[in-house]
Amino acid sequence: MELLEKKILKDGVVKAGNVLKVDNFLNHQMDIALFSEIGKDFYRLFGDCNVTKILTIEASGIGIACVTAQSFNNIPVVFAKKSKSKNISDNVYTSTVVSFTHGGENDIVVSRDYLNPGDRVLIIDDFLANGSALEGLMSIVEQSGATLVGAGIVIEKGFQPGGEKIRSKGVRVESLAIIDSMNDDGSLTFRKQG
Ligand code: 5GP
């Protein structure tokens, strides 16, 4: 997505540890005009898949998922909550996710009330790196018996293994920008997509 790539080049900051900071428009301050174009692009890709629910993970995925849902005729958005508590109730689906940015593990939970076998779920997230967040969300969809339509990612770091790992499982992953290299001098290159 050209608009997104331009925004990343203009406002993205390459940090140590292969972290791209995009607080200016995605992860702290949110550019809603851009989010709206992102939502339309996800609809272009998944609009014919009869999606009934969007699933994401707190915190950064929520804004993108909500604006995207507006392009999908206002379908509900469910976000997985990160839980530190070992005291998780029976009425939830749960999985464990390793945080790319902080390193630690989080249990993530979604109430059984909000995902059902009849649902067709599109997972939305801001970044794809090693794939742990996406795998955790995929496990929750599987536990619910719902159908996974695919995953829409805003920024995939294509030089990290998550994208290949998850596509090799047969899951449709569509990333609006794929970064193929990120360098210490702050420069980065994008994969050309059809
Ligand atoms: P994964 O689970 O695929 O390793 O990492 C994905 C999650 O980690 C995303 O939900 C995102 O919040 C965070 N993340 C991974 N890489 C980056 C990055 O380069 N920049 C930012 N801001 N977040 C990232």
Side-chain angles (χ1 to χ4, degrees), residues 80-95:
K81 297 188 177 198
K82 290 175 183 162
S83 162
K84 288 262 176 272
S85 151
K86 289 281 154 221
N87 216 349
I88 292 171
S89 91
D90 289 345
N91 193 37
V92 295
Y93 309 115
T94 180
S95 181

PDB file of all heavy atoms in Angstrom, residues 80-95:
ATOM      1  N   ALA A  80      -8.410  -9.743  22.108  1.00  0.00           N
ATOM      2  CA  ALA A  80      -7.880 -10.615  23.148  1.00  0.00           C
ATOM      3  C   ALA A  80      -7.244  -9.737  24.217  1.00  0.00           C
ATOM      4  O   ALA A  80      -6.500  -8.807  23.905  1.00  0.00           O
ATOM      5  CB  ALA A  80      -6.858 -11.568  22.551  1.00  0.00           C
ATOM      6  N   LYS A  81      -7.561 -10.041  25.480  1.00  0.00           N
ATOM      7  CA  LYS A  81      -6.995  -9.282  26.590  1.00  0.00           C
ATOM      8  C   LYS A  81      -5.738  -9.978  27.085  1.00  0.00           C
ATOM      9  O   LYS A  81      -5.699 -11.204  27.170  1.00  0.00           O
ATOM     10  CB  LYS A  81      -8.000  -9.192  27.737  1.00  0.00           C
ATOM     11  CG  LYS A  81      -9.265  -8.451  27.360  1.00  0.00           C
ATOM     12  CD  LYS A  81     -10.124  -8.220  28.584  1.00  0.00           C
ATOM     13  CE  LYS A  81     -11.351  -7.414  28.209  1.00  0.00           C
ATOM     14  NZ  LYS A  81     -12.000  -6.810  29.367  1.00  0.00           N
ATOM     15  N   LYS A  82      -4.742  -9.183  27.414  1.00  0.00           N
ATOM     16  CA  LYS A  82      -3.527  -9.743  27.998  1.00  0.00           C
ATOM     17  C   LYS A  82      -3.758  -9.874  29.489  1.00  0.00           C
ATOM     18  O   LYS A  82      -4.159  -8.917  30.142  1.00  0.00           O
ATOM     19  CB  LYS A  82      -2.335  -8.817  27.726  1.00  0.00           C
ATOM     20  CG  LYS A  82      -1.949  -8.815  26.251  1.00  0.00           C
ATOM     21  CD  LYS A  82      -0.862  -7.809  25.948  1.00  0.00           C
ATOM     22  CE  LYS A  82      -0.558  -7.796  24.456  1.00  0.00           C
ATOM     23  NZ  LYS A  82       0.159  -6.588  24.019  1.00  0.00           N
ATOM     24  N   SER A  83      -3.501 -11.068  30.018  1.00  0.00           N
ATOM     25  CA  SER A  83      -3.807 -11.304  31.429  1.00  0.00           C
ATOM     26  C   SER A  83      -2.558 -11.739  32.171  1.00  0.00           C
ATOM     27  O   SER A  83      -1.841 -12.633  31.731  1.00  0.00           O
ATOM     28  CB  SER A  83      -4.871 -12.399  31.511  1.00  0.00           C
ATOM     29  OG  SER A  83      -4.893 -12.932  32.791  1.00  0.00           O
ATOM     30  N   LYS A  84      -2.287 -11.103  33.273  1.00  0.00           N
ATOM     31  CA  LYS A  84      -1.153 -11.526  34.106  1.00  0.00           C
ATOM     32  C   LYS A  84      -1.624 -12.571  35.120  1.00  0.00           C
ATOM     33  O   LYS A  84      -0.837 -13.295  35.689  1.00  0.00           O
ATOM     34  CB  LYS A  84      -0.567 -10.324  34.863  1.00  0.00           C
ATOM     35  CG  LYS A  84       0.186  -9.371  33.947  1.00  0.00           C
ATOM     36  CD  LYS A  84       1.697  -9.621  33.996  1.00  0.00           C
ATOM     37  CE  LYS A  84       2.446  -8.752  33.013  1.00  0.00           C
ATOM     38  NZ  LYS A  84       2.565  -9.357  31.675  1.00  0.00           N
ATOM     39  N   SER A  85      -2.928 -12.623  35.313  1.00  0.00           N
ATOM     40  CA  SER A  85      -3.467 -13.469  36.364  1.00  0.00           C
ATOM     41  C   SER A  85      -3.438 -14.940  35.963  1.00  0.00           C
ATOM     42  O   SER A  85      -3.781 -15.305  34.847  1.00  0.00           O
ATOM     43  CB  SER A  85      -4.903 -13.013  36.640  1.00  0.00           C
ATOM     44  OG  SER A  85      -5.666 -14.093  37.084  1.00  0.00           O
ATOM     45  N   LYS A  86      -3.040 -15.790  36.891  1.00  0.00           N
ATOM     46  CA  LYS A  86      -3.070 -17.233  36.638  1.00  0.00           C
ATOM     47  C   LYS A  86      -4.477 -17.766  36.903  1.00  0.00           C
ATOM     48  O   LYS A  86      -4.800 -18.905  36.620  1.00  0.00           O
ATOM     49  CB  LYS A  86      -2.075 -17.945  37.568  1.00  0.00           C
ATOM     50  CG  LYS A  86      -0.642 -17.684  37.196  1.00  0.00           C
ATOM     51  CD  LYS A  86      -0.194 -18.551  36.017  1.00  0.00           C
ATOM     52  CE  LYS A  86       0.927 -17.906  35.247  1.00  0.00           C
ATOM     53  NZ  LYS A  86       0.877 -18.003  33.821  1.00  0.00           N
ATOM     54  N   ASN A  87      -5.290 -16.858  37.428  1.00  0.00           N
ATOM     55  CA  ASN A  87      -6.615 -17.234  37.873  1.00  0.00           C
ATOM     56  C   ASN A  87      -7.637 -16.980  36.777  1.00  0.00           C
ATOM     57  O   ASN A  87      -8.479 -16.107  36.884  1.00  0.00           O
ATOM     58  CB  ASN A  87      -6.932 -16.350  39.086  1.00  0.00           C
ATOM     59  CG  ASN A  87      -7.722 -17.107  40.100  1.00  0.00           C
ATOM     60  OD1 ASN A  87      -8.184 -18.195  39.803  1.00  0.00           O
ATOM     61  ND2 ASN A  87      -7.882 -16.533  41.283  1.00  0.00           N
ATOM     62  N   ILE A  88      -7.516 -17.726  35.698  1.00  0.00           N
ATOM     63  CA  ILE A  88      -8.359 -17.433  34.548  1.00  0.00           C
ATOM     64  C   ILE A  88      -9.644 -18.267  34.632  1.00  0.00           C
ATOM     65  O   ILE A  88      -9.589 -19.462  34.906  1.00  0.00           O
ATOM     66  CB  ILE A  88      -7.563 -17.718  33.243  1.00  0.00           C
ATOM     67  CG1 ILE A  88      -6.430 -16.694  33.113  1.00  0.00           C
ATOM     68  CG2 ILE A  88      -8.460 -17.663  32.032  1.00  0.00           C
ATOM     69  CD1 ILE A  88      -5.466 -16.987  32.001  1.00  0.00           C
ATOM     70  N   SER A  89     -10.769 -17.616  34.371  1.00  0.00           N
ATOM     71  CA  SER A  89     -12.046 -18.326  34.552  1.00  0.00           C
ATOM     72  C   SER A  89     -12.231 -19.389  33.464  1.00  0.00           C
ATOM     73  O   SER A  89     -11.535 -19.398  32.456  1.00  0.00           O
ATOM     74  CB  SER A  89     -13.204 -17.331  34.516  1.00  0.00           C
ATOM     75  OG  SER A  89     -13.665 -17.200  33.193  1.00  0.00           O
ATOM     76  N   ASP A  90     -13.202 -20.263  33.682  1.00  0.00           N
ATOM     77  CA  ASP A  90     -13.460 -21.342  32.726  1.00  0.00           C
ATOM     78  C   ASP A  90     -14.124 -20.844  31.456  1.00  0.00           C
ATOM     79  O   ASP A  90     -14.105 -21.511  30.441  1.00  0.00           O
ATOM     80  CB  ASP A  90     -14.414 -22.370  33.358  1.00  0.00           C
ATOM     81  CG  ASP A  90     -13.710 -23.150  34.438  1.00  0.00           C
ATOM     82  OD1 ASP A  90     -12.466 -23.079  34.479  1.00  0.00           O
ATOM     83  OD2 ASP A  90     -14.395 -23.813  35.227  1.00  0.00           O
ATOM     84  N   ASN A  91     -14.687 -19.657  31.538  1.00  0.00           N
ATOM     85  CA  ASN A  91     -15.503 -19.207  30.423  1.00  0.00           C
ATOM     86  C   ASN A  91     -14.702 -18.484  29.343  1.00  0.00           C
ATOM     87  O   ASN A  91     -15.205 -17.599  28.674  1.00  0.00           O
ATOM     88  CB  ASN A  91     -16.622 -18.279  30.952  1.00  0.00           C
ATOM     89  CG  ASN A  91     -17.681 -18.055  29.890  1.00  0.00           C
ATOM     90  OD1 ASN A  91     -18.003 -18.963  29.139  1.00  0.00           O
ATOM     91  ND2 ASN A  91     -18.185 -16.837  29.793  1.00  0.00           N
ATOM     92  N   VAL A  92     -13.417 -18.858  29.201  1.00  0.00           N
ATOM     93  CA  VAL A  92     -12.583 -18.164  28.213  1.00  0.00           C
ATOM     94  C   VAL A  92     -11.781 -19.160  27.363  1.00  0.00           C
ATOM     95  O   VAL A  92     -11.520 -20.287  27.774  1.00  0.00           O
ATOM     96  CB  VAL A  92     -11.576 -17.196  28.891  1.00  0.00           C
ATOM     97  CG1 VAL A  92     -12.291 -16.066  29.598  1.00  0.00           C
ATOM     98  CG2 VAL A  92     -10.634 -17.921  29.817  1.00  0.00           C
ATOM     99  N   TYR A  93     -11.416 -18.702  26.187  1.00  0.00           N
ATOM    100  CA  TYR A  93     -10.377 -19.361  25.403  1.00  0.00           C
ATOM    101  C   TYR A  93      -9.080 -18.673  25.798  1.00  0.00           C
ATOM    102  O   TYR A  93      -9.048 -17.451  25.980  1.00  0.00           O
ATOM    103  CB  TYR A  93     -10.606 -19.167  23.909  1.00  0.00           C
ATOM    104  CG  TYR A  93     -11.995 -19.531  23.448  1.00  0.00           C
ATOM    105  CD1 TYR A  93     -12.852 -18.546  22.944  1.00  0.00           C
ATOM    106  CD2 TYR A  93     -12.453 -20.841  23.501  1.00  0.00           C
ATOM    107  CE1 TYR A  93     -14.118 -18.863  22.507  1.00  0.00           C
ATOM    108  CE2 TYR A  93     -13.730 -21.167  23.075  1.00  0.00           C
ATOM    109  CZ  TYR A  93     -14.555 -20.169  22.580  1.00  0.00           C
ATOM    110  OH  TYR A  93     -15.812 -20.479  22.158  1.00  0.00           O
ATOM    111  N   THR A  94      -7.998 -19.425  25.883  1.00  0.00           N
ATOM    112  CA  THR A  94      -6.741 -18.790  26.303  1.00  0.00           C
ATOM    113  C   THR A  94      -5.547 -19.361  25.553  1.00  0.00           C
ATOM    114  O   THR A  94      -5.588 -20.487  25.044  1.00  0.00           O
ATOM    115  CB  THR A  94      -6.555 -18.914  27.841  1.00  0.00           C
ATOM    116  OG1 THR A  94      -5.336 -18.291  28.208  1.00  0.00           O
ATOM    117  CG2 THR A  94      -6.535 -20.351  28.296  1.00  0.00           C
ATOM    118  N   SER A  95      -4.514 -18.549  25.452  1.00  0.00           N
ATOM    119  CA  SER A  95      -3.301 -18.967  24.777  1.00  0.00           C
ATOM    120  C   SER A  95      -2.148 -18.138  25.349  1.00  0.00           C
ATOM    121  O   SER A  95      -2.386 -17.159  26.052  1.00  0.00           O
ATOM    122  CB  SER A  95      -3.469 -18.729  23.268  1.00  0.00           C
ATOM    123  OG  SER A  95      -2.319 -19.142  22.596  1.00  0.00           O
TER     124      SER A  95
END
